[in-house]
Amino acid sequence: MPNKTGKVLLIDDNDIDLKINSKVIKLSNFFDEIILCQSGEEGIKYITTNLENPALWPDFILLDIQMPEMDGFEFLEIYKHFPQTFLDHCKLAILSSTLDFGDIKKAEANPLVIKLLKKPLYPNELKELLDRTTTLLGS
């Protein structure tokens, strides 16, 4: 049986990207559950609502940068204030199609972001990232 890693929270305002990336994640069999959020606000709301219940915490977040209302960086500004136990549990990567060098540098400089992945998501890139994350966590 493949080594599944629990829950992934996919945050993207683009329906097509959500469908494609969730299909890739499903087919790759890395996660038991995919939680889809169509905005940064929805992602924050999901986390806030479930903070008291660690069983519902995502193990991994894939976050888009360019979204209306709350972009990925605004999400990270709120996200960094969550309890340390949550932040230690949940790893976060940016999944974006941005070509903006400033955005890329800003994402890579953020200590909460373990990697910036380019859209579309490729199973081998995700596997490599998950393998590296598991190694970093020492599990």
Side-chain angles (χ1 to χ4, degrees):
M1 185 172 131
N3 183 16
K4 291 192 178 184
T5 320
K7 296 174 184 42
V8 62
L9 180 59
L10 193 53
I11 304 172
D12 198 320
D13 63 307
N14 184 314
D15 275 345
I16 292 161
D17 286 342
L18 272 179
K19 279 192 179 79
I20 291 169
N21 293 323
S22 65
K23 181 71 89 182
V24 168
I25 292 168
K26 210 169 268 163
L27 292 171
S28 68
N29 228 7
F30 298 135
F31 294 97
D32 299 312
E33 189 181 335
I34 303 166
I35 303 148
L36 301 178
C37 292
Q38 292 188 292
S39 67
E41 295 92 333
E42 204 181 315
I44 293 291
K45 186 172 181 229
Y46 176 86
I47 295 166
T48 307
T49 305
N50 296 300
L51 265 183
E52 300 302 313
N53 188 350
L56 295 176
W57 290 0
D59 299 283
F60 209 84
I61 295 175
L62 288 169
L63 174 67
D64 186 24
I65 292 177
Q66 295 169 326
M67 297 182 286
E69 285 130 47
M70 180 190 289
D71 70 19
F73 296 116
E74 291 167 315
F75 174 93
L76 286 167
E77 274 306 302
I78 296 169
Y79 180 80
K80 73 180 182 189
H81 296 289
F82 284 121
Q84 194 59 49
T85 47
F86 175 81
L87 297 176
D88 290 343
H89 172 86
C90 183
K91 298 300 156 210
L92 185 144
I94 300 282
L95 180 61
S96 180
S97 56
T98 188
L99 298 172
D100 181 314
F101 189 69
D103 278 356
I104 293 167
K105 281 284 162 231
K106 191 173 173 184
E108 289 174 343
N110 189 308
L112 296 171
V113 176
I114 58 171
K115 187 156 175 63
L116 182 124
L117 299 169
K118 290 282 186 202
K119 287 180 187 175
L121 184 61
Y122 289 102
N124 58 337
E125 283 184 339
L126 184 59
K127 182 181 183 335
E128 196 178 290
L129 181 61
L130 292 173
D131 287 347
R132 210 179 75 211
T133 306
T134 307
T135 307
L136 291 174
L137 297 174
S139 38

